[in-house]
PDB file of all heavy atoms in Angstrom:
ATOM      1  N   MET Q   1      42.190  81.861  10.924  1.00 41.00           N
ATOM      2  CA  MET Q   1      42.533  80.691  11.883  1.00 41.00           C
ATOM      3  C   MET Q   1      41.993  79.432  11.234  1.00 41.00           C
ATOM      4  O   MET Q   1      40.892  79.285  10.994  1.00 41.00           O
ATOM      5  CB  MET Q   1      41.806  80.897  13.187  1.00 41.00           C
ATOM      6  CG  MET Q   1      42.200  80.003  14.222  1.00 41.00           C
ATOM      7  SD  MET Q   1      41.588  80.427  15.962  1.00 41.00           S
ATOM      8  CE  MET Q   1      39.846  80.585  15.672  1.00 41.00           C
ATOM      9  N   THR Q   2      42.775  78.337  11.024  1.00 41.00           N
ATOM     10  CA  THR Q   2      42.367  77.106  10.491  1.00 41.00           C
ATOM     11  C   THR Q   2      41.843  76.182  11.523  1.00 41.00           C
ATOM     12  O   THR Q   2      42.263  75.925  12.557  1.00 41.00           O
ATOM     13  CB  THR Q   2      43.667  76.522   9.786  1.00 41.00           C
ATOM     14  OG1 THR Q   2      44.177  77.341   8.881  1.00 41.00           O
ATOM     15  CG2 THR Q   2      43.273  75.127   9.159  1.00 41.00           C
ATOM     16  N   GLU Q   3      40.746  75.592  11.198  1.00 43.00           N
ATOM     17  CA  GLU Q   3      40.038  74.620  12.041  1.00 43.00           C
ATOM     18  C   GLU Q   3      40.564  73.207  11.821  1.00 43.00           C
ATOM     19  O   GLU Q   3      40.942  72.846  10.683  1.00 43.00           O
ATOM     20  CB  GLU Q   3      38.519  74.629  11.640  1.00 43.00           C
ATOM     21  CG  GLU Q   3      37.799  75.981  11.880  1.00 43.00           C
ATOM     22  CD  GLU Q   3      37.731  76.365  13.213  1.00 43.00           C
ATOM     23  OE1 GLU Q   3      37.700  75.366  14.192  1.00 43.00           O
ATOM     24  OE2 GLU Q   3      37.634  77.453  13.684  1.00 43.00           O
ATOM     25  N   PRO Q   4      40.789  72.502  12.937  1.00 39.00           N
ATOM     26  CA  PRO Q   4      41.210  71.091  12.772  1.00 39.00           C
ATOM     27  C   PRO Q   4      40.157  70.314  12.048  1.00 39.00           C
ATOM     28  O   PRO Q   4      38.913  70.648  12.121  1.00 39.00           O
ATOM     29  CB  PRO Q   4      41.364  70.751  14.260  1.00 39.00           C
ATOM     30  CG  PRO Q   4      40.470  71.626  14.969  1.00 39.00           C
ATOM     31  CD  PRO Q   4      40.549  72.885  14.327  1.00 39.00           C
ATOM     32  N   PRO Q   5      40.493  69.298  11.336  1.00 41.00           N
ATOM     33  CA  PRO Q   5      39.520  68.450  10.532  1.00 41.00           C
ATOM     34  C   PRO Q   5      38.317  67.987  11.435  1.00 41.00           C
ATOM     35  O   PRO Q   5      37.348  67.939  10.882  1.00 41.00           O
ATOM     36  CB  PRO Q   5      40.392  67.251  10.062  1.00 41.00           C
ATOM     37  CG  PRO Q   5      41.911  67.777  10.036  1.00 41.00           C
ATOM     38  CD  PRO Q   5      41.856  68.761  11.160  1.00 41.00           C
ATOM     39  N   ALA Q   6      38.559  67.536  12.643  1.00 41.00           N
ATOM     40  CA  ALA Q   6      37.503  67.113  13.516  1.00 41.00           C
ATOM     41  C   ALA Q   6      36.530  68.183  13.742  1.00 41.00           C
ATOM     42  O   ALA Q   6      35.290  67.914  13.668  1.00 41.00           O
ATOM     43  CB  ALA Q   6      38.002  66.447  14.764  1.00 41.00           C
ATOM     44  N   ALA Q   7      37.001  69.360  14.097  1.00 43.00           N
ATOM     45  CA  ALA Q   7      36.061  70.431  14.323  1.00 43.00           C
ATOM     46  C   ALA Q   7      35.318  70.853  13.052  1.00 43.00           C
ATOM     47  O   ALA Q   7      34.210  71.267  13.120  1.00 43.00           O
ATOM     48  CB  ALA Q   7      36.848  71.655  14.966  1.00 43.00           C
ATOM     49  N   ALA Q   8      36.087  70.840  11.965  1.00 45.00           N
ATOM     50  CA  ALA Q   8      35.293  71.225  10.730  1.00 45.00           C
ATOM     51  C   ALA Q   8      34.122  70.351  10.324  1.00 45.00           C
ATOM     52  O   ALA Q   8      33.296  70.775   9.622  1.00 45.00           O
ATOM     53  CB  ALA Q   8      36.430  71.352   9.589  1.00 45.00           C
ATOM     54  N   ALA Q   9      34.254  69.093  10.793  1.00 48.00           N
ATOM     55  CA  ALA Q   9      33.262  68.211  10.355  1.00 48.00           C
ATOM     56  C   ALA Q   9      31.983  68.272  11.204  1.00 48.00           C
ATOM     57  O   ALA Q   9      30.982  67.785  10.971  1.00 48.00           O
ATOM     58  CB  ALA Q   9      33.678  66.695  10.663  1.00 48.00           C
ATOM     59  N   GLU Q  10      32.051  69.082  12.385  1.00 65.00           N
ATOM     60  CA  GLU Q  10      30.956  69.195  13.284  1.00 65.00           C
ATOM     61  C   GLU Q  10      29.877  70.320  12.788  1.00 65.00           C
ATOM     62  O   GLU Q  10      30.400  71.164  12.151  1.00 65.00           O
ATOM     63  CB  GLU Q  10      31.442  69.606  14.680  1.00 65.00           C
ATOM     64  CG  GLU Q  10      32.221  68.396  15.232  1.00 65.00           C
ATOM     65  CD  GLU Q  10      32.743  68.603  16.654  1.00 65.00           C
ATOM     66  OE1 GLU Q  10      32.821  69.803  16.881  1.00 65.00           O
ATOM     67  OE2 GLU Q  10      33.163  67.776  17.364  1.00 65.00           O
ATOM     68  N   GLY Q  11      28.723  70.104  13.161  1.00 63.00           N
ATOM     69  CA  GLY Q  11      27.640  70.994  12.842  1.00 63.00           C
ATOM     70  C   GLY Q  11      27.603  72.280  13.921  1.00 63.00           C
ATOM     71  O   GLY Q  11      28.269  72.140  14.966  1.00 63.00           O
ATOM     72  N   ALA Q  12      26.711  73.189  13.442  1.00 62.00           N
ATOM     73  CA  ALA Q  12      26.547  74.374  14.310  1.00 62.00           C
ATOM     74  C   ALA Q  12      25.974  74.057  15.635  1.00 62.00           C
ATOM     75  O   ALA Q  12      26.177  74.918  16.577  1.00 62.00           O
ATOM     76  CB  ALA Q  12      25.762  75.381  13.533  1.00 62.00           C
ATOM     77  N   MET Q  13      25.246  72.964  15.813  1.00 66.00           N
ATOM     78  CA  MET Q  13      24.723  72.672  17.076  1.00 66.00           C
ATOM     79  C   MET Q  13      25.340  71.478  17.700  1.00 66.00           C
ATOM     80  O   MET Q  13      24.706  70.793  18.676  1.00 66.00           O
ATOM     81  CB  MET Q  13      23.121  72.349  16.903  1.00 66.00           C
ATOM     82  CG  MET Q  13      22.288  73.612  16.944  1.00 66.00           C
ATOM     83  SD  MET Q  13      22.427  74.441  18.673  1.00 66.00           S
ATOM     84  CE  MET Q  13      21.311  75.905  18.283  1.00 66.00           C
ATOM     85  N   SER Q  14      26.491  71.065  17.180  1.00 65.00           N
ATOM     86  CA  SER Q  14      27.310  70.052  18.050  1.00 65.00           C
ATOM     87  C   SER Q  14      27.756  70.613  19.332  1.00 65.00           C
ATOM     88  O   SER Q  14      27.686  71.758  19.648  1.00 65.00           O
ATOM     89  CB  SER Q  14      28.496  69.613  17.114  1.00 65.00           C
ATOM     90  OG  SER Q  14      29.378  70.661  16.876  1.00 65.00           O
ATOM     91  N   ALA Q  15      28.206  69.742  20.087  1.00 65.00           N
ATOM     92  CA  ALA Q  15      28.662  70.014  21.384  1.00 65.00           C
ATOM     93  C   ALA Q  15      29.737  71.195  21.410  1.00 65.00           C
ATOM     94  O   ALA Q  15      29.833  72.015  22.221  1.00 65.00           O
ATOM     95  CB  ALA Q  15      29.354  68.806  22.216  1.00 65.00           C
ATOM     96  N   ALA Q  16      30.638  71.156  20.340  1.00 64.00           N
ATOM     97  CA  ALA Q  16      31.721  72.057  20.227  1.00 64.00           C
ATOM     98  C   ALA Q  16      31.203  73.518  20.044  1.00 64.00           C
ATOM     99  O   ALA Q  16      31.727  74.495  20.445  1.00 64.00           O
ATOM    100  CB  ALA Q  16      32.723  71.689  19.249  1.00 64.00           C
ATOM    101  N   TYR Q  17      30.089  73.695  19.338  1.00 69.00           N
ATOM    102  CA  TYR Q  17      29.540  75.015  19.018  1.00 69.00           C
ATOM    103  C   TYR Q  17      28.267  75.417  19.591  1.00 69.00           C
ATOM    104  O   TYR Q  17      27.715  76.493  19.519  1.00 69.00           O
ATOM    105  CB  TYR Q  17      29.466  75.044  17.558  1.00 69.00           C
ATOM    106  CG  TYR Q  17      30.746  74.869  16.773  1.00 69.00           C
ATOM    107  CD1 TYR Q  17      30.947  73.777  15.948  1.00 69.00           C
ATOM    108  CD2 TYR Q  17      31.796  75.820  16.892  1.00 69.00           C
ATOM    109  CE1 TYR Q  17      32.125  73.546  15.264  1.00 69.00           C
ATOM    110  CE2 TYR Q  17      32.995  75.479  16.290  1.00 69.00           C
ATOM    111  CZ  TYR Q  17      33.082  74.422  15.408  1.00 69.00           C
ATOM    112  OH  TYR Q  17      34.299  74.208  14.831  1.00 69.00           O
ATOM    113  N   ARG Q  18      27.494  74.441  20.353  1.00 71.00           N
ATOM    114  CA  ARG Q  18      26.199  74.747  20.690  1.00 71.00           C
ATOM    115  C   ARG Q  18      25.939  75.902  21.542  1.00 71.00           C
ATOM    116  O   ARG Q  18      25.069  76.787  21.258  1.00 71.00           O
ATOM    117  CB  ARG Q  18      25.684  73.612  21.500  1.00 71.00           C
ATOM    118  CG  ARG Q  18      24.146  73.686  21.739  1.00 71.00           C
ATOM    119  CD  ARG Q  18      23.678  72.330  22.609  1.00 71.00           C
ATOM    120  NE  ARG Q  18      23.870  71.180  21.817  1.00 71.00           N
ATOM    121  CZ  ARG Q  18      24.599  70.162  22.259  1.00 71.00           C
ATOM    122  NH1 ARG Q  18      25.288  70.223  23.408  1.00 71.00           N
ATOM    123  NH2 ARG Q  18      24.833  69.091  21.472  1.00 71.00           N
ATOM    124  N   SER Q  19      26.771  76.126  22.550  1.00 71.00           N
ATOM    125  CA  SER Q  19      26.567  77.287  23.481  1.00 71.00           C
ATOM    126  C   SER Q  19      26.823  78.649  22.706  1.00 71.00           C
ATOM    127  O   SER Q  19      26.137  79.638  22.975  1.00 71.00           O
ATOM    128  CB  SER Q  19      27.433  77.276  24.707  1.00 71.00           C
ATOM    129  OG  SER Q  19      28.790  77.170  24.336  1.00 71.00           O
ATOM    130  N   LEU Q  20      27.819  78.629  21.951  1.00 78.00           N
ATOM    131  CA  LEU Q  20      28.140  79.786  21.115  1.00 78.00           C
ATOM    132  C   LEU Q  20      27.086  80.067  20.117  1.00 78.00           C
ATOM    133  O   LEU Q  20      26.646  81.340  20.005  1.00 78.00           O
ATOM    134  CB  LEU Q  20      29.494  79.704  20.366  1.00 78.00           C
ATOM    135  CG  LEU Q  20      29.915  80.770  19.348  1.00 78.00           C
ATOM    136  CD1 LEU Q  20      30.056  82.074  20.180  1.00 78.00           C
ATOM    137  CD2 LEU Q  20      31.218  80.426  18.713  1.00 78.00           C
ATOM    138  N   THR Q  21      26.486  79.111  19.465  1.00 80.00           N
ATOM    139  CA  THR Q  21      25.455  79.338  18.376  1.00 80.00           C
ATOM    140  C   THR Q  21      24.183  79.894  19.250  1.00 80.00           C
ATOM    141  O   THR Q  21      23.531  80.766  18.663  1.00 80.00           O
ATOM    142  CB  THR Q  21      25.055  77.981  17.829  1.00 80.00           C
ATOM    143  OG1 THR Q  21      26.212  77.563  17.151  1.00 80.00           O
ATOM    144  CG2 THR Q  21      23.956  78.159  16.862  1.00 80.00           C
ATOM    145  N   ILE Q  22      23.850  79.359  20.281  1.00 78.00           N
ATOM    146  CA  ILE Q  22      22.741  79.802  21.096  1.00 78.00           C
ATOM    147  C   ILE Q  22      22.956  81.274  21.462  1.00 78.00           C
ATOM    148  O   ILE Q  22      22.135  82.102  21.442  1.00 78.00           O
ATOM    149  CB  ILE Q  22      22.462  78.957  22.331  1.00 78.00           C
ATOM    150  CG1 ILE Q  22      21.946  77.518  21.874  1.00 78.00           C
ATOM    151  CG2 ILE Q  22      21.458  79.509  23.255  1.00 78.00           C
ATOM    152  CD1 ILE Q  22      21.887  76.604  23.031  1.00 78.00           C
ATOM    153  N   GLY Q  23      24.203  81.623  21.935  1.00 77.00           N
ATOM    154  CA  GLY Q  23      24.517  82.926  22.323  1.00 77.00           C
ATOM    155  C   GLY Q  23      24.406  84.055  21.212  1.00 77.00           C
ATOM    156  O   GLY Q  23      23.741  85.010  21.267  1.00 77.00           O
ATOM    157  N   LEU Q  24      24.884  83.579  20.018  1.00 80.00           N
ATOM    158  CA  LEU Q  24      24.625  84.393  18.864  1.00 80.00           C
ATOM    159  C   LEU Q  24      23.313  84.609  18.503  1.00 80.00           C
ATOM    160  O   LEU Q  24      22.799  85.652  18.045  1.00 80.00           O
ATOM    161  CB  LEU Q  24      25.550  83.830  17.699  1.00 80.00           C
ATOM    162  CG  LEU Q  24      26.998  83.934  17.827  1.00 80.00           C
ATOM    163  CD1 LEU Q  24      27.692  83.282  16.638  1.00 80.00           C
ATOM    164  CD2 LEU Q  24      27.584  85.359  17.964  1.00 80.00           C
ATOM    165  N   LEU Q  25      22.572  83.566  18.571  1.00 81.00           N
ATOM    166  CA  LEU Q  25      21.104  83.778  18.279  1.00 81.00           C
ATOM    167  C   LEU Q  25      20.451  84.603  19.233  1.00 81.00           C
ATOM    168  O   LEU Q  25      19.573  85.434  18.913  1.00 81.00           O
ATOM    169  CB  LEU Q  25      20.430  82.193  18.284  1.00 81.00           C
ATOM    170  CG  LEU Q  25      20.823  81.265  17.208  1.00 81.00           C
ATOM    171  CD1 LEU Q  25      20.119  79.881  17.379  1.00 81.00           C
ATOM    172  CD2 LEU Q  25      20.350  81.811  15.768  1.00 81.00           C
ATOM    173  N   ALA Q  26      20.863  84.650  20.440  1.00 76.00           N
ATOM    174  CA  ALA Q  26      20.289  85.483  21.499  1.00 76.00           C
ATOM    175  C   ALA Q  26      20.606  87.038  21.118  1.00 76.00           C
ATOM    176  O   ALA Q  26      19.802  87.849  21.205  1.00 76.00           O
ATOM    177  CB  ALA Q  26      20.747  85.102  22.885  1.00 76.00           C
ATOM    178  N   ILE Q  27      21.820  87.247  20.594  1.00 76.00           N
ATOM    179  CA  ILE Q  27      22.255  88.543  20.331  1.00 76.00           C
ATOM    180  C   ILE Q  27      21.434  89.054  19.097  1.00 76.00           C
ATOM    181  O   ILE Q  27      20.900  90.245  19.181  1.00 76.00           O
ATOM    182  CB  ILE Q  27      23.776  88.543  19.921  1.00 76.00           C
ATOM    183  CG1 ILE Q  27      24.648  88.299  21.162  1.00 76.00           C
ATOM    184  CG2 ILE Q  27      24.148  89.900  19.211  1.00 76.00           C
ATOM    185  CD1 ILE Q  27      24.752  89.391  22.149  1.00 76.00           C
ATOM    186  N   ILE Q  28      21.307  88.228  18.087  1.00 78.00           N
ATOM    187  CA  ILE Q  28      20.496  88.665  16.919  1.00 78.00           C
ATOM    188  C   ILE Q  28      18.972  88.816  17.352  1.00 78.00           C
ATOM    189  O   ILE Q  28      18.288  89.695  16.724  1.00 78.00           O
ATOM    190  CB  ILE Q  28      20.728  87.773  15.745  1.00 78.00           C
ATOM    191  CG1 ILE Q  28      22.130  87.760  15.391  1.00 78.00           C
ATOM    192  CG2 ILE Q  28      19.808  88.215  14.560  1.00 78.00           C
ATOM    193  CD1 ILE Q  28      22.595  89.051  15.000  1.00 78.00           C
ATOM    194  N   THR Q  29      18.492  88.003  18.243  1.00 76.00           N
ATOM    195  CA  THR Q  29      17.084  88.167  18.581  1.00 76.00           C
ATOM    196  C   THR Q  29      16.780  89.488  19.239  1.00 76.00           C
ATOM    197  O   THR Q  29      15.900  90.119  18.944  1.00 76.00           O
ATOM    198  CB  THR Q  29      16.781  87.088  19.587  1.00 76.00           C
ATOM    199  OG1 THR Q  29      16.882  85.705  18.909  1.00 76.00           O
ATOM    200  CG2 THR Q  29      15.361  87.106  20.090  1.00 76.00           C
ATOM    201  N   LEU Q  30      17.835  89.950  20.148  1.00 73.00           N
ATOM    202  CA  LEU Q  30      17.539  91.180  20.795  1.00 73.00           C
ATOM    203  C   LEU Q  30      17.706  92.365  19.710  1.00 73.00           C
ATOM    204  O   LEU Q  30      16.784  93.259  19.826  1.00 73.00           O
ATOM    205  CB  LEU Q  30      18.554  91.394  21.886  1.00 73.00           C
ATOM    206  CG  LEU Q  30      20.019  91.841  21.530  1.00 73.00           C
ATOM    207  CD1 LEU Q  30      20.114  93.420  21.511  1.00 73.00           C
ATOM    208  CD2 LEU Q  30      20.976  91.412  22.593  1.00 73.00           C
ATOM    209  N   THR Q  31      18.544  92.249  18.854  1.00 74.00           N
ATOM    210  CA  THR Q  31      18.601  93.244  17.711  1.00 74.00           C
ATOM    211  C   THR Q  31      17.406  93.204  16.920  1.00 74.00           C
ATOM    212  O   THR Q  31      16.769  94.282  16.588  1.00 74.00           O
ATOM    213  CB  THR Q  31      19.843  92.858  16.839  1.00 74.00           C
ATOM    214  OG1 THR Q  31      21.047  92.847  17.624  1.00 74.00           O
ATOM    215  CG2 THR Q  31      20.015  93.929  15.836  1.00 74.00           C
ATOM    216  N   ALA Q  32      16.767  92.095  16.689  1.00 73.00           N
ATOM    217  CA  ALA Q  32      15.475  92.011  15.994  1.00 73.00           C
ATOM    218  C   ALA Q  32      14.384  92.728  16.784  1.00 73.00           C
ATOM    219  O   ALA Q  32      13.554  93.533  16.226  1.00 73.00           O
ATOM    220  CB  ALA Q  32      15.149  90.521  15.679  1.00 73.00           C
ATOM    221  N   PHE Q  33      14.341  92.391  18.031  1.00 72.00           N
ATOM    222  CA  PHE Q  33      13.351  93.024  18.896  1.00 72.00           C
ATOM    223  C   PHE Q  33      13.389  94.456  18.841  1.00 72.00           C
ATOM    224  O   PHE Q  33      12.392  95.342  18.658  1.00 72.00           O
ATOM    225  CB  PHE Q  33      13.346  92.629  20.271  1.00 72.00           C
ATOM    226  CG  PHE Q  33      12.567  91.372  20.598  1.00 72.00           C
ATOM    227  CD1 PHE Q  33      13.059  90.211  20.956  1.00 72.00           C
ATOM    228  CD2 PHE Q  33      11.096  91.425  20.620  1.00 72.00           C
ATOM    229  CE1 PHE Q  33      12.348  88.964  21.145  1.00 72.00           C
ATOM    230  CE2 PHE Q  33      10.281  90.284  20.796  1.00 72.00           C
ATOM    231  CZ  PHE Q  33      10.882  89.104  21.186  1.00 72.00           C
ATOM    232  N   GLU Q  34      14.659  94.998  19.010  1.00 71.00           N
ATOM    233  CA  GLU Q  34      14.808  96.519  18.981  1.00 71.00           C
ATOM    234  C   GLU Q  34      14.461  97.118  17.642  1.00 71.00           C
ATOM    235  O   GLU Q  34      13.721  98.171  17.667  1.00 71.00           O
ATOM    236  CB  GLU Q  34      16.384  96.641  19.170  1.00 71.00           C
ATOM    237  CG  GLU Q  34      16.689  98.184  19.756  1.00 71.00           C
ATOM    238  CD  GLU Q  34      17.004  99.042  18.557  1.00 71.00           C
ATOM    239  OE1 GLU Q  34      17.090  98.602  17.502  1.00 71.00           O
ATOM    240  OE2 GLU Q  34      17.188 100.254  18.889  1.00 71.00           O
ATOM    241  N   ALA Q  35      14.836  96.463  16.548  1.00 71.00           N
ATOM    242  CA  ALA Q  35      14.572  97.107  15.190  1.00 71.00           C
ATOM    243  C   ALA Q  35      13.045  97.003  14.939  1.00 71.00           C
ATOM    244  O   ALA Q  35      12.448  98.171  14.587  1.00 71.00           O
ATOM    245  CB  ALA Q  35      15.295  96.405  14.138  1.00 71.00           C
ATOM    246  N   MET Q  36      12.420  95.897  15.132  1.00 68.00           N
ATOM    247  CA  MET Q  36      11.048  95.787  14.738  1.00 68.00           C
ATOM    248  C   MET Q  36      10.076  96.589  15.679  1.00 68.00           C
ATOM    249  O   MET Q  36       9.159  97.285  15.212  1.00 68.00           O
ATOM    250  CB  MET Q  36      10.585  94.294  14.787  1.00 68.00           C
ATOM    251  CG  MET Q  36      11.508  93.420  13.916  1.00 68.00           C
ATOM    252  SD  MET Q  36      11.435  93.809  12.166  1.00 68.00           S
ATOM    253  CE  MET Q  36       9.753  93.508  11.711  1.00 68.00           C
ATOM    254  N   ALA Q  37      10.414  96.640  16.998  1.00 70.00           N
ATOM    255  CA  ALA Q  37       9.644  97.277  17.831  1.00 70.00           C
ATOM    256  C   ALA Q  37       9.654  98.702  17.801  1.00 70.00           C
ATOM    257  O   ALA Q  37       8.747  99.570  17.849  1.00 70.00           O
ATOM    258  CB  ALA Q  37       9.979  96.825  19.319  1.00 70.00           C
ATOM    259  N   VAL Q  38      10.923  99.264  17.561  1.00 73.00           N
ATOM    260  CA  VAL Q  38      11.095 100.677  17.425  1.00 73.00           C
ATOM    261  C   VAL Q  38      10.508 101.237  16.126  1.00 73.00           C
ATOM    262  O   VAL Q  38       9.683 102.295  16.063  1.00 73.00           O
ATOM    263  CB  VAL Q  38      12.582 101.078  17.528  1.00 73.00           C
ATOM    264  CG1 VAL Q  38      12.785 102.513  17.007  1.00 73.00           C
ATOM    265  CG2 VAL Q  38      13.151 100.781  18.779  1.00 73.00           C
TER     266      VAL Q  38
END
């Protein structure tokens, strides 16, 4: 899927991606807790 030029110029914590980035960080955080604690 090709990103439009405007979207491609934005960073991972821009308004377009902020909630998704935070959600992915939450997913990996839980995976980390699971792996390290177990």
Side-chain angles (χ1 to χ4, degrees):
M1 184 168 60
T2 303
E3 296 293 334
E10 295 178 345
M13 275 296 181
S14 64
Y17 300 114
R18 187 179 300 119
S19 60
L20 176 58
T21 300
I22 292 173
L24 291 176
L25 291 175
I27 292 290
I28 299 304
T29 298
L30 79 90
T31 304
F33 268 113
E34 200 269 351
M36 303 301 292
V38 170

